[in-house]
Amino acid sequence: MRNIVVGAMALLLAGAAGAAGAAEREDRWPRAQDPTWVLPEGWQAHSSVVAELGYARFDGLGLSGNASADGTGLSVDARFGIAAGFVLSVGGEYWWLGDAARTDVDFGYLRAGVGYQHRLAERAQAGAEIGVQSQTGQAFFGEERVRQDNEYARLWLRTGLGHRAVLSVSTTLGTGYRAAALGCELALPVPRLSLGLTGRIGEAEDTGFWSVGPSLRYAFGT
């Protein structure tokens, strides 16, 4: 019986010594940790898709330059955050119009660009992007006035108004196109969705236009 007790005590002491040695080796050689990505303070990878649908009116359409047309305008812009504030942007706008002579005319712009955005405050962001744009649809301005595959630049600012509202301002300058937009959005009970009202005014191929209508935004990524 004595030999059994002595043997058990020896095994316990050996196990304790082995565990202490393993712990010492683990402290000396720490386990490899998964790499983590830390973005600079104040920057974020934020993505969103915004769609605007509303009434649009153009003045001075056609080769004569004195016709007017109105109808429906659709604008879609998607920004995909990469990292450190850099974004990829795709989108454009399109109009389905009719003039006084009941002639249907439609055209629009497609755009793709790159840019960055910066968080100015808790609920305020500013951004800029540059890219290329191309006109699509009927060339009712006259072939000699239509410009294809040219550049554009855009600046935008978003800032919080109260608890759920956001004010957005943007300006777009392109070859044969320039416009400014002002909108106000209200967060919906559905997460990441907001509903707003947006007005836009500008010129396309030296033709003045304006539009107003509701907008829907889906935001994702932080």
Side-chain angles (χ1 to χ4, degrees):
M1 183 69 180
R2 181 179 178 182
N3 293 334
I4 295 175
V5 172
V6 171
M9 293 181 62
L11 288 175
L12 290 174
L13 291 175
E24 181 179 357
R25 288 192 301 272
E26 186 172 335
D27 293 339
R28 184 181 303 172
W29 303 99
R31 294 179 179 178
Q33 298 181 353
D34 295 334
T36 58
W37 297 91
V38 179
L39 300 181
E41 183 179 357
W43 294 80
Q44 64 178 6
H46 177 78
S47 303
S48 64
V49 179
V50 185
E52 303 171 9
L53 179 66
Y55 173 80
R57 180 177 179 86
F58 280 71
D59 294 317
L61 288 177
L63 297 177
S64 62
N66 55 13
S68 297
D70 59 359
T72 303
L74 173 65
S75 174
V76 178
D77 285 297
R79 294 190 182 101
F80 303 98
I82 305 174
F86 292 98
V87 295
L88 296 176
S89 176
V90 294
E93 51 202 290
Y94 206 87
W95 299 280
W96 294 267
L97 309 171
D99 58 17
R102 299 184 180 275
T103 301
D104 294 331
V105 288
D106 63 273
F107 85 110
Y109 291 90
L110 299 177
R111 300 185 181 96
V114 295
Y116 70 91
Q117 58 190 0
H118 184 64
R119 179 181 295 169
L120 302 175
E122 180 65 21
R123 297 182 62 200
Q125 294 176 332
E129 68 184 61
I130 57 174
V132 295
Q133 69 175 13
S134 177
Q135 190 190 85
T136 181
Q138 297 179 7
F140 54 84
F141 294 108
E143 293 295 338
E144 72 279 2
R145 296 176 59 191
V146 174
R147 304 175 177 91
Q148 299 276 353
D149 301 326
N150 286 286
E151 301 79 15
Y152 81 96
R154 176 175 291 167
L155 301 174
W156 75 87
L157 172 67
R158 292 175 51 82
T159 182
L161 295 176
H163 178 62
R164 301 172 59 189
V166 174
L167 177 69
S168 62
V169 181
S170 68
T171 179
T172 305
L173 302 175
T175 306
Y177 178 95
R178 61 178 180 268
L182 175 65
C184 185
E185 302 170 5
L186 185 65
L188 295 176
V190 181
R192 302 184 181 275
L193 279 179
S194 59
L195 182 66
L197 182 68
T198 301
R200 192 183 302 269
I201 186 172
E203 289 187 355
E205 308 295 334
D206 302 324
T207 300
F209 75 91
W210 60 269
S211 65
V212 61
S215 63
L216 184 65
R217 174 184 295 270
Y218 176 70
F220 56 98
T222 58

